[in-house]
Amino acid sequence: MTPSTLRIGWYGLGSMGLGMSLNLQKYLQTNNLSPLHYSNRTLSKGDVLHDEGAVPEEKFEDLVRNSDVIFTMISNDDVLTELLNKALVVGDSLKGKIFVDTSTIHPDTSEWATSRLGEYGAAFIAAPVFGASPVAAAGKLIFAVAGPAKAVETIKPLTNVMGRSVIAMGEDVRKSSLLKISGNILVISFMEVIAEAQVFAEVTGIGNQQLEEFIGNMFGPVLESYSKRITTGAYAPPLDTSPGFAASLASKDMKHALSIAASHSTRLPTLEVASDRLISARDYAGECLDSSAIYGTGRMEAGLSFWSENSRQGN
């Protein structure tokens, strides 16, 4: 297979997957290559892809049959396991196909996928990405890629379309998944610390905007953007608006990190606090929350309302 003859498939059209797949389809169309085939639990979410010339597939099995490389961007390990079990129905015709998962999954799931697909001659690449949905739409994600060297080389032009850099993790797919989980330890821990500081700024009268200005000047635009998710009220968006990094997904990622840490006789104390606070936030305010909703729990612990003047005001 060469990049000019590859048939590309995509499953998963959430806030990340839609932006990534749109960039792929535009690349394929611009270079007069075969259009992207796509599928999703709710197929209508791909209407914008269809408008760009991509081809919908009702069933994941059909997507697999009609693709040489199949990308997935899904919510959790159970979904990926279910999809790959469906793919195995295709049987011997899986030989030579490449499955690329860009989600955050447990390293055990990546290892299982490699083993099961390998029984049928297919390759699995763990390629989780770093970056929020606006970064995905801009094609500026960071990929952590691990898998068979030949397969990784085959998909390189495609990851280059969606990302600004690729961290090579070798052939052990577990390492790619572990790097992604390590990255999320940092992301969520940064958010916990910033949330604590912003609650402190509010109860002492320093001022949230003044602290945010300091964060931007001292630590740069990335941590400033984390602060803005708090101060703009995006931690608890309107009920008809999808959060940037859904609280449920963040909780899943923290569960993976904490269980892996425990299995290696180590602890992640900051993540333990963040996990408990996010669980409390979800219990109080439901699932339409960003991972930064740990701030809402911190507010309540300080005797304030969960809701800020810029967030939604209830459920």
Side-chain angles (χ1 to χ4, degrees):
M1 293 183 291
T2 65
S4 62
T5 60
L6 287 176
R7 300 172 300 162
I8 313 300
W10 188 280
Y11 186 95
L13 299 174
S15 59
M16 292 290 291
L18 187 58
M20 295 169 73
S21 57
L22 274 169
N23 285 329
L24 265 185
Q25 170 56 20
K26 290 174 182 177
Y27 163 79
L28 296 172
Q29 188 174 57
T30 298
N31 290 277
N32 297 314
L33 303 175
S34 298
L36 185 75
H37 287 237
Y38 68 90
S39 188
N40 194 59
R41 184 175 59 182
T42 304
L43 199 58
S44 60
K45 287 189 175 181
D47 287 349
V48 64
L49 268 173
H50 186 257
D51 292 343
E52 293 288 340
V55 179
E57 299 282 3
E58 289 284 346
K59 296 181 178 180
F60 183 69
E61 298 92 320
D62 293 332
L63 180 73
V64 172
R65 289 188 181 95
N66 294 321
S67 306
D68 301 309
V69 177
I70 303 95
F71 284 89
T72 50
M73 169 53 88
I74 44 79
S75 58
N76 59 55
D77 300 60
D78 290 342
V79 174
L80 182 65
T81 300
E82 179 184 353
L83 289 174
L84 294 187
N85 280 329
K86 288 181 179 179
L88 296 178
V89 174
V90 178
D92 291 339
S93 61
L94 285 177
K95 187 175 182 179
K97 293 184 185 292
I98 302 171
F99 290 77
V100 187
D101 184 64
T102 62
S103 320
T104 305
I105 58 174
H106 196 284
D108 289 352
T109 304
S110 291
E111 189 173 55
W112 171 85
T114 297
S115 176
R116 290 294 284 134
L117 290 170
E119 293 174 12
Y120 292 85
F124 178 78
I125 295 175
V129 297
F130 297 92
S133 51
V135 181
K140 301 296 184 181
L141 294 166
I142 299 172
F143 283 80
V145 177
K150 185 177 179 181
V152 169
E153 188 63 26
T154 298
I155 69 160
K156 188 175 180 180
L158 305 175
T159 52
N160 287 344
V161 170
M162 297 180 283
R164 59 186 170 91
S165 66
V166 173
I167 302 172
M169 298 300 296
E171 298 206 357
D172 184 352
V173 292
R174 294 181 62 88
K175 290 185 177 180
S176 188
S177 296
L178 284 168
L179 181 64
K180 172 57 177 174
I181 290 170
S182 298
N184 280 356
I185 292 171
L186 289 170
V187 168
I188 297 169
S189 296
F190 286 145
M191 185 58 73
E192 168 63 30
V193 171
I194 291 171
E196 290 177 13
Q198 284 291 15
V199 171
F200 179 81
E202 190 150 6
V203 298
T204 60
I206 295 171
N208 295 125
Q209 293 302 325
Q210 287 83 352
L211 178 59
E212 189 167 282
E213 184 177 352
F214 165 76
I215 291 170
N217 289 333
M218 186 70 181
F219 302 110
V222 173
L223 294 192
E224 183 181 21
S225 72
Y226 291 178
S227 178
K228 287 184 181 296
R229 284 157 64 184
I230 289 170
T231 59
T232 63
Y235 73 92
L239 293 174
D240 59 354
T241 301
S242 297
F245 181 13
S248 59
L249 297 182
S251 290
K252 178 261 297 182
D253 293 351
M254 285 190 278
K255 184 177 180 181
H256 284 340
L258 292 168
S259 67
I260 292 169
S263 71
H264 287 79
S265 301
T266 190
R267 286 184 57 205
L268 302 168
T270 303
L271 211 65
E272 292 170 7
V273 173
S275 179
D276 289 344
R277 283 182 162 177
L278 197 54
I279 290 170
S280 295
R282 293 168 66 195
D283 288 343
Y284 181 80
E287 293 298 341
C288 187
L289 293 174
D290 184 74
S291 59
S292 53
I294 51 181
Y295 169 69
T297 302
R299 285 175 58 88
M300 288 198 299
E301 290 172 355
L304 304 172
S305 167
F306 181 92
W307 320 102
S308 73
E309 63 179 13
N310 292 325
S311 76
R312 73 168 188 268
Q313 297 303 304
N315 290 327

